Amino acid sequence: MWIIFGLAAIGATLLNLTVFMMEKDYKLPMAIALSLTALTLCAEYSLINMWVEAEDWAALKDVVPGMSRALWFLTIAAIFLNLLPIFLEKKRNKLMESKKESDSIKNK
């Protein structure tokens, strides 16, 4: 299940960035992508919980160390990529305002 959520989170993140580049409202895709990222983490935690309950220590020793690093990296990347449009929009707005100010000074 975590693979499905993870792939959906990646797809939603790409949709978020695409919608932003098309200069449309990107907030809903961003919320969906971050929600799917959270669901991915919950699904992975549930899988680990099942292994603990089954006392499958070999699976835990094999998977958890590598998966832990991967989940940290992918979660941080997802947060960064989904918040990137907010910062780019602020930068774009500042550039537009400064351009309008310089144009109005030139016209006077």
Side-chain angles (χ1 to χ4, degrees):
M1 190 64 156
W2 66 271
I3 293 175
I4 295 168
F5 283 135
L7 292 174
I10 291 169
T13 299
L14 294 175
L15 178 67
N16 176 25
L17 295 172
T18 303
V19 168
F20 172 74
M21 285 187 230
M22 293 171 30
E23 297 185 5
K24 296 188 178 186
D25 189 20
Y26 57 87
K27 292 179 181 102
L28 181 61
M30 178 179 65
I32 291 169
L34 291 173
S35 298
L36 287 167
T37 300
L39 289 171
T40 302
L41 294 173
C42 290
E44 180 62 26
Y45 189 81
S46 294
L47 178 64
I48 291 170
N49 185 47
M50 286 182 353
W51 288 339
V52 169
E53 287 176 354
E55 297 182 9
D56 189 355
W57 309 122
L60 289 167
K61 285 182 179 180
D62 288 343
V63 175
V64 171
M67 188 58 75
S68 174
R69 286 187 290 273
L71 288 174
W72 273 104
F73 172 77
L74 292 171
T75 301
I76 291 168
I79 291 168
F80 173 75
L81 289 174
N82 281 293
L83 293 180
L84 185 62
I86 292 173
F87 299 114
L88 292 176
E89 184 177 50
K90 285 185 179 186
K91 185 177 181 180
R92 181 171 50 194
N93 289 342
K94 275 187 178 180
L95 289 173
M96 296 293 279
E97 287 176 16
S98 66
K99 185 176 181 191
K100 285 181 183 178
E101 288 175 8
S102 66
D103 287 345
S104 66
I105 292 172
K106 286 180 184 178
N107 292 335
K108 288 184 180 182

